[in-house]
């Protein structure tokens, strides 16, 4: 049985490249206790796993799975384990190694998820797609898609999702097909089969219909491993890409403040909801144009009757009046929003970290970390990941520790416990 994507924090690093082979190190940190875990690993077509250390490989059909081996097949929350893979690159040995993809029980191309979009589509790791609106003529605009093939592919296609009023008027260097109300982009003759590293450009002229008086809205691309509603934290939540949310504190009355949420629907959605996480002392006193519900100690925002179902491109505004409780003498703290594909990580729930390079001396630089405690926290620490050649030479007002090859920053004696609203500064000198 596959684990979910929020079971592990996985850091994958190619540590050695020997031409036709490379060494891939997977550092797994367990975010929740787990037994008999496994997840799928997806590699480019020519690649094969030659050796594995500290884990086991199994094949089921045409899929490859990684699982624990004896001593690490059951892990407690906070445990870390390292897995090493030696990968043979086959006919792709003359190219730079390509990173592996990991697929979990809540990934869309997993058998345990029913929201596979279309088996004939390519996966999201087939192309690196850069889409740019290069010209805006009012009722129409020009969209340029730059596609880089990350693996060899034949007869490729993927779905494009446009706002309701939009229509593709012309296409250059590609083809448009419609199936079951969906729109697909594919190659045309000379570019329908691509080898790894190939680059092509596709141009779309898009008619904006009744939305011609608004700024052009970027399209969404849907692949074989895309999902409409991935369930990590709560199956009923919407995904983080369902809305573009702009939250603004418009009024501060001391013990209370007014928070305005401007929601733009990036895709059509019904009966939506998402979790809002507030600072410990805060409570929502009033809500306008939405509803607040409490479930299992969590607070959720959903639509009112008239805006609980939205079409792609719709906008709605929700207003919250928030009581700050015992934190009324501090500046208001912005909330966190949690979606079905969010990972509940303590590091980004308790500390707001702003990093600034203040001095650059050539071979070394000075990095200042401004930390703001979003809630009271004791014995805090978080991981810092640096480029391979970089090393932390000195640290001020904090401590550096190493665990299983990872670097962690924690507080010094005087700032290792922080109250809500406290701020502290840590300085790193990096070689």
């Amino acid at each position: 049985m596959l684990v979910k994507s929020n079971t592990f924090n996985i850091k994958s690093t190619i540590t050695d490249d020997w031409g036709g082979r490379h060494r891939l190190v997977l550092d797994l940190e367990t975010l929740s206790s787990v037994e008999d875990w496994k997840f799928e690993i997806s590699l480019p077509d020519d690649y094969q796993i030659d050796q594995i250390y500290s884990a086991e490989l199994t094949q089921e059909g045409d899929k490859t799975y990684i699982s624990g081996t004896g001593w690490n097949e059951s892990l407690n929350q906070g445990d870390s384990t390292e897995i090493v893979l030696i990968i043979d690159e086959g006919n792709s040995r003359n190219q730079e190694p390509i990173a592996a993809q990991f697929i979990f029980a809540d990934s869309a191309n997993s058998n345990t998820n029913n929201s596979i979009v279309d088996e004939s589509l390519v996966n999201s790791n087939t192309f690196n797609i850069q889409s740019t609106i290069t010209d805006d003529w009012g009722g129409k605009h020009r969209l340029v898609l730059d596609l880089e093939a990350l693996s060899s592919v034949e007869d490729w296609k993927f779905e494009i999702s446009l706002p309701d009023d939009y229509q593709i008027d012309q296409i250059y260097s590609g083809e448009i097909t419609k199936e079951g109300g969906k729109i697909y982009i594919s190659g045309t003759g000379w570019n329908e089969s691509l080898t790894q590293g190939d680059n092509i450009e596709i141009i779309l002229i898009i008619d904006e219909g009744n939305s011609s008086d608004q700024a052009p809205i970027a399209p969404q691309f849907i692949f074989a491993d895309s999902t409409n509603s991935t369930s990590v934290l709560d199956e009923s939540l919407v995904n983080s890409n369902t809305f573009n949310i702009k939250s603004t504190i418009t009024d501060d009355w001391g013990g209370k403040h007014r928070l305005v949420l401007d929601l733009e629907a990036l895709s059509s959605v019904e009966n939506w909801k998402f979790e809002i996480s507030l600072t410990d002392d805060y409570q929502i006193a009033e809500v306008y144009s939405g509803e607040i519900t409490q479930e299992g100690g969590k607070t959720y925002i959903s639509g009112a009757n008239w805006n609980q179902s939205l079409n792609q491109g719709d906008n709605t505004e929700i207003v919250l009046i928030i009581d700050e409780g015992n934190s009324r003498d501090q500046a208001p703290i912005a909330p966190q929003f949690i979606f079905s594909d969010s990972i509940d990580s303590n590091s980004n729930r308790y500390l707001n970290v702003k990093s600034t390079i203040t001095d650059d001396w050539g071979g070394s630089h000075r990095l200042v970390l401004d930390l703001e405690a979003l809630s009271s926290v004791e014995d805090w620490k978080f991981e810092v990941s640096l480029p391979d050649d970089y090393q932390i030479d000195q640290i001020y007002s904090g401590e550096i520790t190493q665990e299983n090859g990872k670097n962690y920053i924690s507080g010094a004696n005087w700032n290792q416990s922080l109250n809500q609203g406290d701020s502290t500064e840590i300085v790193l000198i990096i070689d």
Side-chain angles (χ1 to χ4, degrees), residues 7-10 26-35 37 71-82 381 403-404 406 408:
T7 305
F8 293 118
N9 178 23
I10 301 181
L26 308 181
D27 289 307
L28 276 66
E29 177 191 2
T30 311
L31 302 178
S32 59
S33 297
V34 61
E35 294 183 3
W37 57 268
W71 62 274
N72 65 354
E73 62 184 356
S74 295
L75 297 169
N76 294 319
Q77 186 178 28
D79 285 349
S80 295
T81 189
E82 182 182 270
K381 75 173 181 179
E403 300 174 26
N404 298 317
K406 297 180 179 181
Y408 294 91

Side-chain angles (χ1 to χ4, degrees), residues 80-93:
S80 295
T81 189
E82 182 182 270
I83 297 171
V84 178
L85 305 175
I86 307 299
I87 298 176
D88 192 308
E89 299 162 10
N91 294 328
S92 301
R93 63 185 63 245

Side-chain angles (χ1 to χ4, degrees), residues 54-65:
S54 302
E56 291 185 356
L57 283 180
T58 54
Q59 293 280 338
E60 299 175 28
D62 59 350
K63 296 182 178 180
T64 304
Y65 296 92

Side-chain angles (χ1 to χ4, degrees), residues 3 8 11 17 21 77 96 121 124 148 154 165 168 182 207 222 238 240 249 252 263-264 315 321 331 344 421:
V3 294
F8 293 118
K11 179 182 177 184
D17 181 8
R21 297 167 121 201
Q77 186 178 28
E96 288 292 319
L121 303 188
S124 57
E148 177 192 2
E154 295 183 2
D165 290 337
I168 297 174
K182 297 180 178 180
D207 190 309
I222 302 170
V238 294
S240 57
I249 296 171
D252 182 7
L263 276 65
E264 177 192 6
N315 291 270
I321 307 300
D344 193 3

Side-chain angles (χ1 to χ4, degrees), residues 220-239:
Q220 302 287 310
F221 303 113
I222 302 170
F223 302 90
D225 53 348
S226 299
T227 180
N228 296 326
S229 179
T230 307
S231 54
V232 177
L233 297 181
D234 186 332
E235 293 182 358
S236 61
L237 303 188
V238 294
N239 281 339

